[in-house]
Amino acid sequence: MTEKLNSGDPSEAPQTTPAPEAAAGTGTVVQGAKRGTLLGAVFLMATSAIGPGFIAQTTTFTVQLGAAFAFAILLSIIIDIAVQLNVWRVIGISGLRAQELGNRVLPGLGVLMAVLVVFGGLVFNIGNVAGASLGLDALLGLDVKIGGAVSAAIAIGIFLSRRAGIAMDRIVVVLGVVMVVLTLYVAIVSSPPVGEAMRQAVIPDDINFLVITTLIGGTVGGYITYAGAHRLVDAGITGPEQIRDVSRSAVVSLLVTGVMRAVLFLAILGVVVGGVTLTGENPAAQAFESAAGEVGLRIFGMILWGAGITSVVGASYTSVSFIVSFSPALKRRQNWLVVGFIAVAVTVFLIVDQAPTKLLILAGALNGLILPVGFGVLMYVAYRRRDLLRGYRYPRWLLVIGTAAWLLTLYLGWSALSGIAKLWS
């Protein structure tokens, strides 16, 4: 039987009972294992955000805005940190997952949050499998259906291992570092105007708020918001005494995502400024090939595959973490539920070759809606439910920036409704 990812959950075990990855809720985690879990949580959130859509989105906006895209990246990172600091802190201190907090605030609300996140995660997982298959095609020339099946099998193997939590932590860290390093190499080769990009990051020629809100929704929307925080809960790294590590991990996870976004932007910008017109079906692949030739295309394949498979892992793990708390029987079978989640996604991909367009639109809209709902629940807990925070006095400055960020998520949610309207038009 596989090791449960959620070993160490304080809701299931006495505080004095050690778990394989953590001693539940006590903070007495072996330092080496604790550092590994914290790093794994950082990269789980970061690589969940850095999916195939992240690459396509960054390429499109770089072509559209040029160097001025640097301002959108910088501002979105600042806002993302405001969101994630509050999300990780509330969940980390309480030791309760987002849906559990939702049910404590209003019975049934957590169930609604779980339904929205699981549906969105499942649909986007089909897209993640498709992205991984295209990556193997560019890297090895592998047929996309075979590539999708192989990628899904690798992801399933992670959760069938005896130490699934540790295996997941390690693979997302390794692939996350590989993606950043390879993208950095192409960014250097493409010789982007770094000085101009730095100037535009502060004094942009063009400010596009739709682009900024899109970046925010793609980085902290849907299941991505909770990926790292739920991992810490499963590992037992919770409580007021863990606040420094939790907060630091929240910021670092966004910085990793921001670094990847920045180097990818610079890699594409160097190609665009060099006079190459990116008009193909896959402009990102075209840009990498233009910058570094055949090697660049293979590098792009590796990056796209890494982005796809780590997003499959992150989406599957986090989506299932939203349902296992509703029943001890489900919690005992968490790994098998993750395996089933991946199997459903790859089966749909093999049948239709891609995520159904209407479902992607609907899932994207639901991700936009879950952000203000879920974040609103956590901010309410921060303001009014000190009992759920184990008596912790929440910092006023965090409440202020969290409230400002929540108001922005309301705008994102309202914008997401257009996706539903478009679906039925």
Side-chain angles (χ1 to χ4, degrees), residues 247-273:
S247 298
R248 184 187 298 117
S249 299
V251 174
V252 173
S253 67
L254 266 304
L255 292 179
V256 171
T257 307
V259 167
M260 181 61 184
R261 177 91 71 182
V263 295
L264 180 58
F265 154 67
L266 290 173
I268 305 298
L269 181 65
V271 173
V272 172
V273 171

Side-chain angles (χ1 to χ4, degrees), residues 53-73 76 206 208-219 261 264-266 268-269 272 278 283-284:
F54 175 100
I55 294 173
Q57 188 184 77
T58 304
T59 304
T60 299
F61 291 148
T62 302
V63 173
Q64 177 183 334
L65 297 176
F69 185 41
F71 176 78
I73 293 175
S76 67
D206 185 10
N208 190 317
F209 287 102
L210 178 59
V211 168
I212 294 168
T213 54
T214 301
L215 293 185
I216 295 168
T219 307
R261 177 91 71 182
L264 180 58
F265 154 67
L266 290 173
I268 305 298
L269 181 65
V272 172
L278 303 179

Side-chain angles (χ1 to χ4, degrees), residues 312-387:
V312 167
V313 170
S316 304
Y317 166 75
T318 309
S319 296
V320 169
S321 77
F322 266 80
I323 61 176
V324 295
S325 63
F326 297 133
S327 164
L330 292 174
K331 186 166 291 188
R332 288 193 297 271
R333 295 168 175 81
Q334 180 168 353
N335 285 7
W336 290 109
L337 289 172
V338 175
V339 168
F341 197 87
I342 298 172
V344 170
V346 72
T347 299
V348 174
F349 167 73
L350 293 175
I351 293 173
V352 302
D353 289 329
Q354 60 183 358
T357 302
K358 286 191 175 182
L359 283 180
L360 278 174
I361 295 173
L362 181 57
L366 290 177
N367 273 353
L369 291 174
I370 191 61
L371 182 55
V373 173
F375 190 37
V377 167
L378 299 184
M379 290 308 302
Y380 176 82
V381 170
Y383 269 107
R384 303 297 300 272
R385 295 299 302 270
R386 192 173 174 184
D387 58 313

Side-chain angles (χ1 to χ4, degrees), residues 220-263:
V220 294
Y223 68 88
I224 299 171
T225 316
Y226 310 102
H230 279 199
R231 175 67 187 124
L232 295 184
V233 171
D234 283 346
I237 303 178
T238 62
E241 67 277 9
Q242 303 289 351
I243 193 61
R244 178 176 297 180
D245 288 332
V246 170
S247 298
R248 184 187 298 117
S249 299
V251 174
V252 173
S253 67
L254 266 304
L255 292 179
V256 171
T257 307
V259 167
M260 181 61 184
R261 177 91 71 182
V263 295

Side-chain angles (χ1 to χ4, degrees), residues 3 5 20-21 33 37 161 163-171 231:
E3 175 190 333
L5 275 169
E21 294 179 86
T37 300
S161 66
R163 307 188 73 181
I166 294 175
M168 179 178 66
D169 291 341
R170 288 178 178 172
I171 193 168
R231 175 67 187 124

